[in-house]
Amino acid sequence: GRGASELGTSTTTGDGGMTQEERGHSSKLVYQYLPSRYGMNPDDIRKADAIEVVVGQGAKPGGGGMLLGQKISDRVAEMRTLPTDIDQRSACRHPDWTGPDDLEIKIRELREITDWQVPIYVKVGATRTYYDTMLSVKAGADVIVLDGMQGGTGATQDCFIENVGIPTLPAVRMATEALQELGMHRTGVQLIVSGGIRTGADVAKAIALGADAVSIGTAALIALGDNRPELAEEYAKLGTAPGFYEDWHAGNDPAGITTQDPELEKRLDPIKAGRRLANYLRVLTLEAQTMARACGKSHLHNLEPEDLNALTVEAAAMAKVPLAGTTYIPGVSEERALAEMKEMLAKQIAGSGS
């Protein structure tokens, strides 16, 4: 929360409830309302600046997760009302609703709890993105959080991470098309995109394709100080090296970030980590702004699909932007050509008839 607050942006509680520390150091804190209900507390919900109803994650849409027992310390157990040291299953769906009508009821319930004072987000994993966006808007969401398959997680199996969901690139475009059809793009419901956002160029591309904002996870973890070179010996003991460690779910993080080990936690200086994150966010923003200026734009949100070209046929098809050096958009160009041929044929038929 320190780094994000320094830049004036928000942080999210994540799975498991809200801590006093993150609320105290976050100027804008979003409370995640998850299927597992771990740590769910109406009093904490009222302290939040927004509520994010999690329907799915990009790394595991439609799937639940596993909270390893070694991560359930006394404090975690107290927050989540769980026994210590026992593996716990995270549900794949909310227990008290089964469809979009129930989501609408849940959003109203959360608005009642918060006296209609805070916005409600709905987070979906990128799959049937066009329809999920439509249904979320119909249910009353103020913000759609779209998580592409490049998003990270420490709570699912490899087959899900590598094979379930769709990439962030086409997902942004599909969500944007849904909002445009509803007449709410840029004017009503906001679109936040996550999943693989690392650099200012990633931010600029997401904005150009229709996003209003982006969300980061793994990038922030690295910015806080994970995988840093001075811990090379510690990483070597785990059979890895700085820049390659990604077993954050195991609870053995040498940087002391993704761990519940009191001794490892001492290695993390929250003040320095906050400064590092703030520096990263500054550079991320400046990079994106520089890209916008290079496109002749006076504001980052003025970026549009016309500012983009694709380097591969696949990227051009997914994003529906021209292949570099051509006007060819796979699928779209064929449809236009077919429409023109039909129009010409209709004119010839009409002419011969007269």
Side-chain angles (χ1 to χ4, degrees), residues 310-334:
L311 298 181
T312 67
V313 174
E314 292 82 4
M318 288 190 289
K320 286 190 178 180
V321 299
L323 185 65
T326 74
T327 59
Y328 176 59
I329 303 175
V332 175
S333 296
E334 288 83 352

Side-chain angles (χ1 to χ4, degrees), residues 12-36:
T12 306
T13 60
D15 195 347
M18 178 191 295
T19 66
Q20 294 181 357
E21 293 89 344
E22 64 183 341
R23 177 63 278 186
H25 292 293
S26 301
S27 60
K28 299 180 182 70
L29 184 63
V30 181
Y31 188 99
Q32 276 198 335
Y33 188 82
L34 294 112
S36 67

Side-chain angles (χ1 to χ4, degrees), residues 151-152 194-198 215-224 248 277 280:
S194 60
I197 304 296
R198 301 285 189 271
S215 177
I216 59 173
T218 303
L221 182 62
I222 302 301
L224 287 170
W248 294 301
L277 178 59
Y280 167 72

Side-chain angles (χ1 to χ4, degrees), residues 73-94:
S73 62
D74 290 338
R75 187 183 186 189
V76 172
E78 182 180 358
M79 286 181 61
R80 301 190 180 194
T81 318
L82 294 173
T84 59
D85 304 317
I86 297 177
D87 293 348
Q88 297 291 330
R89 179 184 65 86
S90 294
C92 62
R93 68 175 182 86
H94 291 258

Side-chain angles (χ1 to χ4, degrees), residues 129-142:
T129 306
Y130 178 87
Y131 298 105
D132 287 341
T133 301
M134 286 276 194
L135 292 171
S136 297
V137 173
K138 178 182 178 296
D142 299 303

Side-chain angles (χ1 to χ4, degrees), residues 287-299:
E287 285 182 347
Q289 291 172 335
T290 302
M291 300 285 285
R293 292 191 188 101
C295 294
K297 308 297 183 181
S298 60
H299 194 283

Side-chain angles (χ1 to χ4, degrees), residues 8-301:
T9 189
S10 64
T11 51
T12 306
T13 60
D15 195 347
M18 178 191 295
T19 66
Q20 294 181 357
E21 293 89 344
E22 64 183 341
R23 177 63 278 186
H25 292 293
S26 301
S27 60
K28 299 180 182 70
L29 184 63
V30 181
Y31 188 99
Q32 276 198 335
Y33 188 82
L34 294 112
S36 67
R37 298 292 193 273
Y38 289 151
M40 204 285 286
N41 185 329
D43 291 331
D44 287 340
I45 289 179
R46 295 186 184 95
K47 298 175 185 176
D49 299 295
I51 301 170
E52 181 177 284
V53 180
V54 178
V55 178
Q57 286 182 246
K60 51 173 184 175
M66 179 67 71
L67 177 64
L68 299 178
Q70 67 197 45
K71 300 176 73 174
I72 306 178
S73 62
D74 290 338
R75 187 183 186 189
V76 172
E78 182 180 358
M79 286 181 61
R80 301 190 180 194
T81 318
L82 294 173
T84 59
D85 304 317
I86 297 177
D87 293 348
Q88 297 291 330
R89 179 184 65 86
S90 294
C92 62
R93 68 175 182 86
H94 291 258
D96 53 349
W97 48 280
T98 57
D101 292 336
D102 295 322
L103 172 59
E104 183 175 358
I105 293 171
K106 179 58 64 177
I107 288 177
R108 289 180 181 176
E109 177 185 312
L110 292 170
R111 292 198 190 280
E112 290 291 339
I113 292 174
T114 58
D115 197 25
W116 296 74
Q117 295 299 307
V118 301
I120 306 295
Y121 300 7
V122 173
K123 179 178 181 178
V124 295
T127 50
R128 297 171 296 186
T129 306
Y130 178 87
Y131 298 105
D132 287 341
T133 301
M134 286 276 194
L135 292 171
S136 297
V137 173
K138 178 182 178 296
D142 299 303
V143 179
I144 308 298
V145 180
L146 177 62
D147 196 21
M149 71 177 296
Q150 294 100 311
T153 181
T156 194
Q157 56 270 49
D158 285 343
C159 65
F160 252 76
I161 293 174
E162 299 297 334
N163 300 288
V164 179
I166 64 173
T168 305
L169 181 65
V172 182
R173 189 257 307 163
M174 294 166 69
T176 299
E177 289 176 351
L179 291 174
Q180 288 172 337
E181 183 167 330
L182 293 169
M184 292 189 172
H185 184 239
R186 301 287 198 217
T187 59
V189 176
Q190 292 187 337
L191 177 62
I192 299 176
V193 172
S194 60
I197 304 296
R198 301 285 189 271
T199 68
D202 295 330
V203 176
K205 292 172 188 176
I207 299 294
L209 286 170
D212 293 289
V214 300
S215 177
I216 59 173
T218 303
L221 182 62
I222 302 301
L224 287 170
D226 214 298
N227 274 282
R228 60 185 188 272
E230 54 263 37
L231 294 172
E233 291 185 7
E234 298 298 325
Y235 285 114
K237 294 176 182 177
L238 299 175
T240 184
F244 297 93
Y245 180 76
E246 58 181 6
D247 292 332
W248 294 301
H249 62 283
N252 300 319
D253 184 5
I257 301 173
T258 60
T259 181
Q260 283 73 42
D261 185 323
E263 293 303 313
L264 291 176
E265 287 178 347
K266 293 178 182 178
R267 296 178 180 175
L268 177 66
D269 185 330
I271 296 177
K272 289 183 179 179
R275 289 172 183 165
R276 285 194 289 261
L277 178 59
N279 288 337
Y280 167 72
L281 293 175
R282 284 193 188 93
V283 173
L284 190 74
T285 303
L286 287 171
E287 285 182 347
Q289 291 172 335
T290 302
M291 300 285 285
R293 292 191 188 101
C295 294
K297 308 297 183 181
S298 60
H299 194 283
L300 184 59
H301 281 119

